[in-house]
């Protein structure tokens, strides 16, 4: 691969993966903030108001970092991928500005009102602004996923004889069938991450014997929501998003599963290391016929392997394969952990089972890893295409930007993001340390 | 349709310059105008609830450029690669400085973020002015519709002048904003700065006007074909005169309106100067990216105009509402900064 193309890809991958750490949480947490403030409105129970206010503070820090790290991405469509923007801007660009215009203003405006507090804006408006924050963050996610879905499965365009493409249907782009389940799976992942963060911080408070009421509410919320969300992560959202991959991107599917040969009754590899030279899995453990069932609902169906496609259509096999297995493996562990939590809740032992609270606290990073791994499957597995079937990745870069320039600014981003990470951890640690109680005097 | 989109983008960028302009201006002056911690907090509180929303106008304009004139977005952003990365880093520095300053009372911590806020603001104002100057002056766009914007190319005498003009005008605008939003010693200093900066603004407007005629070697196309267009640059004069008349300490609201008018007139004059081009080429006028050869298909333009215009109306309503909620002089106890 050309060095400049590689530099553009690494720069985008690095900046987008760092950025995504923040919206994963805000998209999920927005829902829980709305949930807690609704419960407060209905029950007048002060615990829910404390919870909503506490999570809104965590939300605000994440939101600020999501904004400052998100701006570079919008720029990079032009700075790093100018030929792609020039080619497809009139089509995929339909959804991109809508994020800023509709969703972002909604989110930032309502967040300001929500943080100003109930005393300042009144009870009803405060509750509405909680819902607005959730709606804004969820909507914002949709416009971004719809833009990405166009790259996975381009629709709503027509090509003229010169090879240029033009918008044919705005609604087809906005309601891309690929976007629907990809969005559901993405948001479900964000909600699950928020549940784990709520549970993990709640477990921390219980283990360190501080803010017990808040800790109990948090752990309970996390377990109840976590059981549901970890299951819906697998089915229907994961399953149907996978079905779209089977339908539209069979090569990606073969790479995800490490399936080299086309077979009738394809086995599902639980573990194993792909060897692309020999076209085999090293030390595999298989479930016979199960991949055929997952892909086509029939144990004897034929699944096309990588060898049936020309090698220049292969995505990077190892990265796609491992990220997929990491995502699914972690997802399975999440289901198990949350079911144990539900069992403990039922036996009324949840808050006293210190071993379980420890696992909950240490689980916080793993949904992040699973979400990032899932996006890596989606994006690395899309290669060698930038727009699936329409434009290859090397054809979309900025030809007038040298590898040296990109690597220089990549190093700059690495340094700046390292500093941002430290500041972020410092701020979140302070919020957790201060705890959920009302702290009108603490700020100055 | 293409012309409508041109002015839609022009309006977006003008709105951005007016809105983010005053908080960039406050930042550019912050180290000199606000002398102690209380005054710095007041200055930050005056822009605190709005600066983030103001910045989104730039983002929305960028997003709309992708869909309306993708070739301009592609050429401009890739050509200005290094300069834009610098802009991004300054935006990050500035945002972080504003939001993190209040997290500790330590004087060293606060001094650090004060410096970051000042540095990020003044350099951003300068770079945005340099970029605008280069767009007016023209760029070495080749037959493929791209150019490579090295710093040696971008930092030419003309764009350095427009960069300085931008810093000065926005600082004046920021001083006027502080006149509206503050009281006491900070207010009195803002009045003095506003008077001084008015003189520098007048001088820079004259210099840049002369330089523009020299660089473009004559009157721009639009003004020759449609003499009625001269109305717009006339408002530059109106804005300046109004600014002079509003120099009295009791006329702060009028002073702020006069700098708004000046900025709107300057931005529209710049837009009319390049029209119908978006990025004029200095290599060969035929390679210029204009509102026709750089545009999306008519259907794409129409659809996205409707979708975005509806959104922008909502944004304008929301923005007015927020400004109204937070209107009046700022006090220390009510803010977070």
């Amino acid at each position: 691969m050309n060095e400049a193309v590689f530099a553009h890809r690494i720069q985008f991958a690095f900046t987008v993966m760092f950025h995504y750490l923040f919206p994963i949480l805000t998209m999920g947490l927005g829902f829980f903030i709305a949930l807690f403030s609704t419960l407060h409105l209905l029950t007048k129970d002060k615990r829910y108001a404390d919870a909503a206010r506490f999570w809104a503070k965590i939300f605000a820090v994440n939101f600020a970092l999501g904004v400052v790290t998100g701006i570079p991405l919008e720029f990079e469509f032009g700075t790093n991928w100018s030929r792609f923007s020039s080619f497809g801007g009139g089509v995929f660009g339909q959804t991109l500005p809508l994020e800023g215009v509709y969703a972002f203003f909604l989110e930032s405006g309502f967040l300001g009102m929500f943080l100003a507090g109930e005393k300042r804006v009144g009870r009803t408006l405060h509750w509405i602004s909680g819902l607005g924050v959730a709606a804004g963050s969820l909507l914002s996610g949709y416009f971004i996923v719809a833009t990405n879905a166009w790259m996975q499965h381009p629709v709503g365009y027509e090509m003229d004889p010169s090879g240029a493409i033009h918008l044919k249907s705005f609604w087809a782009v906005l309601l891309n069938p690929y976007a629907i389940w990809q969005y559901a799976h993405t948001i479900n992942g964000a909600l699950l991450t928020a549940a784990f963060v709520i549970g993990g911080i709640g477990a921390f408070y219980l283990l360190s014997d501080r803010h017990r009421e808040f800790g109990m509410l948090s752990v309970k919320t996390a377990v109840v929501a976590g059981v549901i969300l970890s299951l819906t992560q697998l089915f229907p959202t994961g399953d149907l998003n996978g079905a779209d991959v089977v339908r539209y991107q069979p090569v990606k599917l073969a790479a995800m599963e490490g399936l080299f040969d086309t077979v009738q009754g394809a086995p599902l590899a639980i573990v194993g290391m792909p060897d692309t030279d020999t076209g085999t899995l090293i030390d595999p453990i298989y479930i016979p016929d199960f991949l055929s069932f997952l892909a086509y609902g029939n144990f004897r169906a034929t699944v096309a392997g990588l060898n049936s496609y020309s090698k220049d259509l292969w995505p990077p096999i190892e990265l796609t394969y491992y990220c997929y297995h990491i995502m699914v493996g972690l997802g399975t562990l999440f289901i198990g952990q949350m079911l144990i939590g539900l069992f403990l809740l039922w036996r009324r032992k949840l808050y006293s089972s210190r071993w379980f609270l420890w696992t909950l606290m240490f689980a916080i990073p793993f949904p992040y890893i699973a979400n990032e791994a899932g996006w890596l499957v989606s994006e690395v597995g899309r290669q060698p295409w930038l727009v699936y079937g329409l434009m290859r990745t090397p054809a979309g870069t900025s030809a007038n930007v040298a590898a040296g320039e990109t690597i220089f600014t990549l190093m700059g981003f690495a340094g700046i993001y390292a500093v941002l990470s430290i500041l972020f951890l410092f701020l979140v640690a302070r919020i957790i340390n201060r705890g959920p109680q009302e702290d009108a005097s603490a700020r100055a | 349709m293409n012309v409508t989109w041109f002015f839609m983008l022009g309006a977006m960028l003008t709105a951005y310059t007016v809105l983010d302009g005053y908080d960039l201006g406050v930042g550019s002056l912050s180290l000199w105008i606000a002398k102690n911690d209380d005054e710095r907090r007041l200055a930050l509180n005056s822009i605190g609830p709005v600066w983030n929303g103001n910045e989104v106008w730039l983002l929305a304009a960028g997003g709309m450029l992708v869909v309306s004139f993708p070739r301009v977005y592609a050429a401009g952003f890739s050509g200005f690669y290094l300069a834009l990365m610098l802009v991004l880093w300054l935006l990050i520095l500035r945002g972080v400085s504003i939001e993190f300053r209040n997290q500790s009372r330590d004087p060293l911590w606060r001094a650090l973020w004060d410096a970051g806020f000042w540095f990020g603001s003044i350099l951003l104002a300068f770079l945005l002015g340099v970029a605008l100057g280069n767009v007016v002056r023209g760029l070495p766009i080749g037959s493929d519709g791209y150019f490579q914007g090295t710093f040696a190319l971008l930092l030419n005498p003309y764009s350095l002048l427009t960069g300085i003009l931008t810093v000065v005008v926005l600082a004046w605008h920021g001083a006027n904003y502080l006149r509206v939003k503050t009281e006491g010693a900070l207010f009195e200093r803002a009045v003095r700065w506003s008077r001084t900066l008015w003189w520098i603004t007048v001088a820079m407007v004259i210099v840049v006007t002369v330089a523009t005629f020299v660089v473009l070697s004559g009157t721009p196309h639009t003004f020759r074909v449609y003499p009625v267009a001269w109305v717009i640059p006339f408002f530059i004069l109106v804005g300046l005169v109004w600014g002079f008349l509003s120099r009295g300490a009791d006329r702060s609201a009028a002073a702020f309106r006069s700098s708004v008018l000046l900025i709107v007139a300057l931005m529209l004059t710049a837009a009319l100067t390049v029209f119908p081009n978006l990025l004029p080429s200095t290599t060969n006028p035929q390679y210029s990216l204009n509102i026709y050869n750089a545009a999306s298909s008519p259907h794409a333009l129409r659809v996205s105009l409707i979708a975005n215009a509806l959104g922008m109306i909502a944004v304008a309503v929301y923005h007015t509402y927020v400004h109204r909620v937070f209107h009046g002089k700022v006090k220390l106890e009510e803010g977070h900064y």
Side-chain angles (χ1 to χ4, degrees), chain A residues 50-262:
Chain A
D50 283 345
R53 187 168 355 91
F54 177 80
W55 296 116
K57 277 188 222 155
I58 301 271
F59 184 100
V61 177
N62 277 275
F63 183 71
L65 281 165
V67 174
V68 295
T69 57
I71 299 170
L73 301 174
E74 196 198 343
F75 277 48
E76 282 171 32
F77 278 91
T79 52
N80 296 59
W81 303 98
S82 61
R83 284 182 294 162
F84 164 58
S85 296
S86 184
F87 170 74
V91 185
F92 80 78
Q94 294 289 345
T95 42
L96 200 58
L98 298 184
E99 195 253 344
V101 171
Y102 285 95
F104 185 77
F105 275 107
L106 197 66
E107 196 175 359
S108 62
F110 281 122
L111 181 62
M113 280 199 264
F114 194 81
L115 288 176
E118 198 175 292
K119 291 191 188 89
R120 179 92 186 265
V121 296
R123 174 171 290 176
T124 316
L125 188 58
H126 191 251
W127 172 69
I128 292 174
S129 57
L131 299 189
V133 169
S137 60
L138 293 175
L139 196 60
S140 155
Y142 186 77
F143 288 124
I144 297 301
V145 168
T147 307
N148 179 267
W150 189 80
M151 295 159 71
Q152 304 286 351
H153 176 56
V155 291
Y157 69 93
E158 56 194 356
M159 192 178 272
D160 68 18
S162 72
I165 59 166
H166 305 289
L167 180 73
K168 196 172 160 201
S169 164
F170 171 77
W171 295 109
V173 174
L174 186 64
L175 304 174
N176 187 339
Y178 198 97
I180 308 300
W181 289 110
Q182 190 186 7
Y183 176 69
H185 194 56
T186 304
I187 291 299
N188 200 108
L191 289 166
L192 185 62
T193 306
F196 268 91
V197 169
I198 290 173
I201 294 176
F204 166 74
Y205 284 141
L206 288 183
L207 286 170
S208 48
D209 205 20
R210 298 160 55 194
H211 313 296
R212 283 203 67 85
E213 285 234 313
F214 176 81
M216 279 160 29
L217 173 67
S218 300
V219 171
K220 185 175 166 186
T221 310
V223 166
V224 173
V227 168
I228 301 167
L229 290 166
S230 59
L231 289 169
T232 52
Q233 190 70 32
L234 177 68
F235 184 87
T237 67
D239 183 57
L240 290 169
N241 189 20
D244 283 338
V245 173
V246 173
R247 192 174 310 140
Y248 301 118
Q249 304 177 331
V251 196
K252 186 195 271 184
L253 174 80
M256 282 156 60
E257 303 289 358
L259 183 72
F260 288 92
D261 296 315
T262 302

Side-chain angles (χ1 to χ4, degrees), chain A residues 11 67-68 71-72 74-75 77-80 82-83 85-86 89-90 92-94 97-98 100-102 104-105 108-109 120 125 166-168 170 398 400-401 405-406 408-409 412-413 416-417 420 423 426-427 430 443-444, chain B residues 52-53 56-57 59-60 62-64 66-67 70-71 73-74 77-79 81-82 84-85 88-89 91-92 96 100 102-103 105 109-110 113 146-148 296-297 299-300 303-304 307-308 310-312 315 318-319 326 336:
Chain A
Q11 179 160 51
V67 174
V68 295
I71 299 170
E74 196 198 343
F75 277 48
F77 278 91
T79 52
N80 296 59
S82 61
R83 284 182 294 162
S85 296
S86 184
F92 80 78
Q94 294 289 345
L98 298 184
V101 171
Y102 285 95
F104 185 77
F105 275 107
S108 62
R120 179 92 186 265
L125 188 58
H166 305 289
L167 180 73
K168 196 172 160 201
F170 171 77
S398 298
N400 50 342
V401 176
E405 291 181 90
T406 315
F408 171 70
T409 61
F413 275 113
I416 291 172
Y417 285 0
L420 285 186
L423 286 170
F426 167 73
L427 288 180
R430 272 171 67 103
R443 272 189 159 232
Chain B
N52 209 329
V56 179
W57 288 81
L59 286 191
M64 288 186 201
V66 184
V67 68
R71 288 187 58 205
Y73 175 78
F77 276 57
S78 61
Y81 182 82
L82 280 179
L84 282 176
M85 292 294 157
L88 286 173
W89 296 347
L91 283 172
I92 293 176
V96 168
F100 285 179
N102 70 324
Q103 296 293 337
R105 289 167 177 280
W109 171 270
R110 297 202 156 182
W113 298 120
Y146 288 97
F147 67 97
Q148 199 174 13
S296 292
S297 67
H299 179 59
V303 169
S304 53
N308 286 299
L310 285 177
M312 289 322 297
V315 170
Y318 152 73
H319 235 260
F326 294 102
H336 288 301

Side-chain angles (χ1 to χ4, degrees), chain B residues 64-145:
Chain B
M64 288 186 201
L65 189 61
V66 184
V67 68
S68 55
F69 303 106
R71 288 187 58 205
V72 172
Y73 175 78
F77 276 57
S78 61
F80 287 132
Y81 182 82
L82 280 179
L84 282 176
M85 292 294 157
L86 203 55
V87 165
L88 286 173
W89 296 347
L90 291 170
L91 283 172
I92 293 176
L93 170 70
R94 193 166 169 271
V96 168
S97 298
I98 296 174
E99 295 299 329
F100 285 179
R101 183 185 188 277
N102 70 324
Q103 296 293 337
S104 165
R105 289 167 177 280
D106 188 286
L108 274 183
W109 171 270
R110 297 202 156 182
L112 170 74
W113 298 120
D114 283 340
F117 178 50
W118 170 78
F119 182 76
S121 302
I122 198 163
L123 205 54
L124 263 177
F126 179 72
L127 284 176
L128 295 174
V130 167
L132 190 63
N134 276 301
V135 170
V136 171
R137 181 173 173 269
L139 292 154
I141 296 168
S143 55
D144 61 349

Side-chain angles (χ1 to χ4, degrees), chain A residues 293-315:
Chain A
F293 174 72
L294 286 180
Y296 297 105
N298 171 359
F299 287 101
R300 296 313 299 162
T302 304
V303 181
L306 285 163
N307 290 334
S308 57
Y309 301 97
S310 152
K311 270 204 176 183
D312 74 337
L313 291 175
W314 286 16

